Amino acid sequence: MTEEQLNRAYVLTLSCPDRPGIVHAVAGALLVAGCNILDSQQYGSPATGNFFMRVEATTTASRAELQASLEPVVQSFGMQWSLNPVGQKVRTLLMASTSAHCLNDILFQQRSGTLPIEIPAIVSNHRDLAGLAEFYGIPFHHIPVTPDTKAQAEDKLRALMAEHDIELTVLARYMQIISDDLCADLTGKAINIHHSFLPSFKGAKPYHQAHARGVKLIGATAHYVTAALDEGPIIEQEVIRVDHARTPEQFVQMGRDVEGRTLTQAVQWHAEHRVLLDGNRTVVFN
């Protein structure tokens, strides 16, 4: 796809109560705007009665013209929707504590062009990862957190998000619990990586817990952040096989690789507008 064509390519995502005629109405509105549909995926959830759709299309119309064509359909069906240029980079804040593996995976994939994100800042409650941020040429912000300073720290974080027009926050092994208020503000806009295949071994040293139980599979879970700790809507999960001969330390190393891949995949799908929320579940068009 040429740069000119890319500038005319859009991704439309929508959700609404399911009923007949949605696909026909959306396709008709896109036709009126002179769109050529390149890809279309849809899903009707029997559990919630909601309908979800993702469409990629090219057009000579402007974004405003395309929005105007779609607006009557949106109003008629009571849709929640978004319209974004294909490939437009999502402004993303990365947060980490002392572990570098997930942060490094995202930074490497972003620099290589795999992830359609822009990273204006990295935040940490420690200074350990400042060198990694410097290597990638991204401003590093040390915001220490203690029980007494948690509110002030989150105020600084909010100010940083506003300053950089942050659209997505990624907790790349950020080992601090975010307040309920901030979680609510970041609904559907913050992704966390959990170092186990949820729901499973929670709390401290999950790999050691898994080793003690003699598990044969370990994994990682990337999910949206909610006030319910580690119970947000799941975006992606991956597992790998282990056996009795592995040590807890080998579990940790293998788990780190899985964590990095799982989080990076979740960020990519979010940035490509492939993830839609359905209550406490997600619909992922991959």
Side-chain angles (χ1 to χ4, degrees):
M1 184 177 292
T2 67
E3 184 175 353
E4 181 182 359
Q5 288 173 318
L6 180 63
N7 290 335
R8 291 187 286 110
Y10 296 91
V11 56
L12 166 69
T13 58
L14 60 89
S15 62
C16 63
D18 199 0
R19 74 185 210 199
I22 300 173
V23 174
H24 180 270
V26 172
L30 293 175
L31 178 62
V32 169
C35 290
N36 177 38
I37 295 176
L38 303 178
D39 181 70
S40 179
Q41 300 179 70
Q42 55 268 339
Y43 171 70
S45 171
T48 63
N50 292 325
F51 177 84
F52 304 87
M53 189 173 188
R54 181 184 186 275
V55 182
E56 285 190 26
T58 58
T59 179
T60 56
S62 68
R63 186 174 181 177
E65 291 170 332
L66 185 51
Q67 288 176 324
S69 181
L70 288 164
E71 193 65 42
V73 176
V74 169
Q75 295 297 327
S76 176
F77 288 90
M79 294 175 174
Q80 293 182 319
W81 68 304
S82 67
L83 181 68
N84 297 278
V86 170
Q88 179 172 280
K89 294 182 178 180
V90 175
R91 294 182 63 79
T92 302
L93 177 69
L94 300 183
M95 300 180 65
S97 289
T98 59
S99 296
H101 56 287
C102 288
L103 181 64
N104 186 63
D105 279 7
I106 292 175
L107 292 170
F108 177 80
Q109 295 296 338
Q110 189 270 343
R111 176 173 285 187
S112 67
T114 301
L115 295 178
I117 62 175
E118 183 179 354
I119 307 170
I122 294 172
V123 167
S124 180
N125 56 323
H126 297 276
R127 298 188 184 275
D128 301 52
L129 303 176
L132 183 61
E134 182 180 5
F135 175 80
Y136 282 97
I138 297 175
F140 180 84
H141 299 265
H142 176 227
I143 303 180
V145 182
T146 68
D148 294 333
T149 64
K150 188 177 184 66
Q152 295 92 319
E154 288 197 351
D155 287 343
K156 292 180 181 178
L157 185 60
R158 289 176 183 275
L160 193 65
M161 291 175 175
E163 177 186 352
H164 293 288
D165 297 321
I166 296 301
E167 301 169 280
L168 173 66
T169 300
V170 178
L171 308 185
R173 295 305 303 275
Y174 181 69
M175 308 306 291
Q176 286 288 324
I177 296 175
I178 295 175
S179 71
D180 290 359
D181 287 344
L182 185 54
C183 285
D185 292 344
L186 296 178
T187 298
K189 297 183 290 185
I191 299 174
N192 183 42
I193 184 68
H194 190 276
H195 46 191
S196 79
F197 191 80
L198 292 175
S200 187
F201 302 99
K202 296 184 178 182
K205 296 187 175 182
Y207 294 115
H208 290 73
Q209 295 180 51
H211 184 267
R213 289 289 301 275
V215 303
K216 306 308 178 190
L217 294 171
I218 60 173
T221 301
H223 62 89
Y224 284 117
V225 173
T226 63
L229 184 62
D230 297 327
E231 295 184 11
I234 293 171
I235 305 170
E236 173 64 337
Q237 295 180 290
E238 184 179 339
V239 295
I240 53 174
R241 182 163 291 279
V242 294
D243 60 33
H244 62 277
R246 300 286 185 178
T247 66
E249 291 71 27
Q250 288 174 319
F251 273 32
V252 171
Q253 182 56 55
M254 296 169 69
R256 285 173 178 164
D257 294 338
V258 176
E259 289 167 21
R261 289 196 302 271
T262 305
L263 180 59
T264 300
Q265 182 65 83
V267 171
Q268 181 174 359
W269 282 339
H270 178 97
E272 293 176 350
H273 310 288
R274 297 183 180 276
V275 187
L276 290 86
L277 288 171
D278 185 19
N280 199 43
R281 304 177 66 211
T282 60
V283 173
V284 183
F285 292 122
N286 52 37

